[in-house]
Amino acid sequence: MEFRRVLFRSTVPATVQTLISARIDRLDAADQALLSRAAVVGQTFSHALLARVVTDRREHLLGALNRLAQAGFLQRTRVVPHVEFSFKHALIHEVTYASLPRNLRKGIHTAVVAALRSRSLEIPNRLALLAQHCLRSEQWARAFVCGQNAGRDALRRSLHREAARLLEGAIEALAKFPRTPRVYRRLASARNAIRSVAAQAPSRSSIARACRAMRWSTRSRRSAGCRWHNRRCPRRRRVTWRYLGSC
């Protein structure tokens, strides 16, 4: 199976994409498929987690990963308590991930979510990984809950940039739901964490853009009982942040 040479929209120059794709083409079909699945799991991934996703060659997985490491695609970053690999360069990961068809990526993300929900699998940062893969597999309700909880956990550990990224993903997931009062109440339940990140993290503007992208209608704000629905409100320019603390 020839690796798909797709020149996608990216910050990676087209010549670099072509060179990386040519290197991947020299691998056999099984190693190409394994590298693609590893790219969906993450730039850094656990051997145990990848083994739950790759079911057809589980007994030879570690040897195949070592072979990809010798070929210069991966590198082993941890041995204890869990064997962990990472892509040797972020460009390799980006080209490999973006060259997969969207439906195939979504299916692998769904398999990763199922693996992460297993109680028998011990993975650090499980909640943040769940939020990421639920968002990419379009499991919106689970992505919102996991992103909100993981964002609050990151905020407690003073990881403000990580908290901002996770909470922005939670808002993005919530934006996929119909505009109902219940959705607004769920958004309001995350207001304290979001406002804390906004006060402390430099990425406040990214969360504000995500909130504005939801395009809450005047009718929906009125039905949710929000006191900022009036377009003539003198403080309407702060409606995004005031709304989070007013419903």
Side-chain angles (χ1 to χ4, degrees):
M1 179 182 66
E2 185 179 358
F3 191 80
R4 297 174 68 249
R5 298 186 181 185
V6 180
L7 301 183
F8 49 91
R9 288 186 177 182
S10 173
T11 57
V12 183
T15 53
V16 176
Q17 297 177 35
T18 304
L19 289 173
I20 295 176
S21 298
R23 286 186 58 196
I24 298 176
D25 278 340
R26 290 196 287 269
L27 298 172
D28 57 44
D31 287 346
Q32 287 182 26
L34 177 61
L35 189 66
S36 299
R37 289 175 180 269
V40 176
V41 175
Q43 185 171 344
T44 300
F45 57 90
S46 167
H47 167 266
L49 179 58
L50 184 62
R52 297 294 184 94
V53 178
V54 181
T55 57
D56 52 346
R57 48 182 303 182
R58 187 176 298 172
E59 62 278 2
H60 305 296
L61 179 60
L62 189 58
L65 291 174
N66 289 329
R67 190 163 57 250
L68 289 172
Q70 292 176 359
F73 294 100
L74 303 176
Q75 59 184 358
R76 185 178 296 196
T77 54
R78 182 178 295 177
V79 178
V80 291
H82 306 287
V83 179
E84 189 176 87
F85 288 84
S86 65
F87 279 79
K88 201 163 187 178
H89 199 283
L91 294 178
I92 299 176
H93 174 258
E94 184 175 349
V95 171
T96 307
Y97 180 86
S99 298
L100 282 173
R102 182 177 178 275
N103 291 337
L104 181 57
R105 287 202 306 260
K106 182 179 177 182
I108 299 175
H109 281 301
T110 303
V112 175
V113 170
L116 287 171
R117 295 187 65 199
S118 174
R119 297 289 183 180
S120 61
L121 186 64
E122 296 182 2
I123 298 292
N125 299 324
R126 178 198 298 267
L127 199 56
L129 287 174
L130 260 176
Q132 172 188 344
H133 289 286
C134 286
L135 187 64
R136 295 188 176 183
S137 61
E138 301 179 7
Q139 302 180 40
W140 307 124
R142 191 168 289 151
F144 170 71
V145 174
C146 293
Q148 176 180 323
N149 293 337
R152 287 174 171 171
D153 182 63
L155 187 61
R156 283 193 295 268
R157 293 183 287 135
S158 299
L159 301 175
H160 298 126
R161 291 182 182 274
E162 179 73 6
R165 182 184 65 82
L166 291 166
L167 291 169
E168 186 178 353
I171 293 175
E172 181 183 345
L174 193 64
K176 304 296 182 180
F177 286 86
R179 309 300 196 257
T180 62
R182 183 180 180 184
V183 171
Y184 287 105
R185 287 194 295 270
R186 289 199 173 192
L187 176 65
S189 69
R191 65 186 182 274
N192 292 330
I194 296 177
R195 291 168 73 183
S196 298
V197 173
Q200 302 175 42
S203 53
R204 168 175 177 163
S205 59
S206 64
I207 300 180
R209 286 194 301 270
C211 291
R212 295 190 198 101
M214 301 172 77
R215 296 177 181 176
W216 307 109
S217 66
T218 302
R219 177 180 301 176
S220 296
R221 284 199 288 269
R222 185 180 298 114
S223 64
C226 178
R227 68 170 181 258
W228 299 105
H229 71 270
N230 192 345
R231 291 179 180 272
R232 296 182 180 180
C233 175
R235 285 175 282 186
R236 63 183 177 274
R237 293 181 180 178
R238 291 182 287 174
V239 63
T240 299
W241 293 102
R242 287 291 185 179
Y243 172 72
L244 293 174
S246 60
C247 294

